[in-house]
Amino acid sequence: MSKLRVGVLISGRGSNLAALIDAARAPDYPAEIVLVISNRPQAAGLDRARAAGIPVRALDHKLAESREAFDRTMDEALRAAGVEFVCMAGYLRVLSDGFVDAWHNRMINIHPALLPAYPGLDTHRRVLADGGRITGCTVHYVRKAVDTGPIIAQAAVPVVAGDDEASLAARVLAAEHVLYPFALRLVASGQVTVAGDEIRYAGMADRAGPALFSPMP
Ligand code: GRF
């Protein structure tokens, strides 16, 4: 089986990266992680990649002369590694339009809310402030506007009495770690494709297909 060659972009902790690395260990997983790039050289996620024997590029965006120049460096590193598909996993920097265009329909992101609700930062704090009862996480194709793009899969997560930002974030993060490998499998196996801005599930008439689920009891 030829596996999709995936590059992962991170900025920090890298727990979603770790979930992808773990999933990709399975012989039948249709993707392999061949490069991890961080825009912060000290990102803890880089150590997770190194521990798994995956090549890393520890870049520092502060040393680049512009966003475009930095993104060109990333693009060159991805191409040099033979990367075919990019996963953003806690990459906390806005991408240049040129980079988004170069990886159009070949780049996905995970967001800790049920898009299109709560794009941007501090999602859990905002959900709690609004009294939301259900939140979750979303894996979507990347488009130029931050946290937009065709939605591949979502997981619903309840808000429970007594939740604070930390407890809710932890519950959503546990769902992210299930959802992201699940969504990448759908894409890498060809079960999900995107035409224009419309997601198609192979062999399934139902838009929800297998891609809406709640990992919580
Ligand atoms: C996750 O909550 C992800 O959804 C968001 O940033 C966080 C990254 O966490 N985009 P980690 O670095 O994967 O642990």
Side-chain angles (χ1 to χ4, degrees):
M1 178 180 69
S2 109
K3 297 187 178 218
L4 187 69
R5 293 174 65 81
V6 171
V8 183
L9 309 186
I10 64 167
S11 297
R13 176 176 58 182
S15 70
N16 278 289
L17 164 67
L20 293 174
I21 291 172
D22 286 348
R25 285 189 216 281
D28 69 343
Y29 197 77
E32 59 181 326
I33 316 293
V34 297
L35 180 66
V36 174
I37 300 179
S38 175
N39 66 309
R40 291 185 182 148
Q42 307 305 330
L46 288 171
D47 290 330
R48 297 182 192 253
R50 291 187 185 105
I54 297 168
V56 304
R57 286 291 301 273
L59 303 177
D60 186 347
H61 67 266
K62 295 196 211 83
L63 303 179
E65 65 188 36
S66 67
R67 186 181 304 277
E68 287 70 24
F70 182 78
D71 286 2
R72 271 197 301 277
T73 303
M74 286 206 302
D75 185 69
E76 282 160 18
L78 292 164
R79 288 173 199 279
V83 166
E84 301 168 298
F85 197 85
V86 173
C87 289
M88 298 171 68
Y91 183 77
L92 300 176
R93 218 172 127 68
V94 173
L95 292 166
S96 59
D97 287 355
F99 189 91
V100 175
D101 279 342
W103 293 91
H104 185 74
N105 288 351
R106 296 191 299 143
M107 178 160 57
I108 62 178
N109 178 49
I110 188 156
H111 180 75
L114 292 176
L115 292 173
Y118 300 103
L121 299 174
D122 298 324
T123 54
H124 309 305
R125 185 175 55 70
R126 290 187 284 141
V127 167
L128 289 168
D130 290 347
R133 289 290 176 264
I134 295 189
T135 184
C137 47
T138 303
V139 176
H140 63 97
Y141 282 96
V142 174
R143 295 292 185 258
K144 282 174 189 146
V146 171
D147 298 329
T148 66
I151 290 170
I152 299 164
Q154 293 186 305
V157 175
V159 179
V160 303
D163 260 343
D164 59 15
E165 210 175 325
S167 64
L168 183 56
R171 195 174 308 114
V172 172
L173 193 64
E176 293 182 45
H177 296 162
V178 179
L179 186 73
Y180 212 172
F182 171 83
L184 179 59
R185 177 190 283 277
L186 289 179
V187 170
S189 65
Q191 286 173 276
V192 159
T193 50
V194 57
D197 275 340
E198 192 178 317
I199 293 287
R200 304 246 166 94
Y201 298 100
M204 278 168 271
D206 180 357
R207 250 169 78 84
L212 171 66
F213 71 104
S214 174
M216 305 303 294

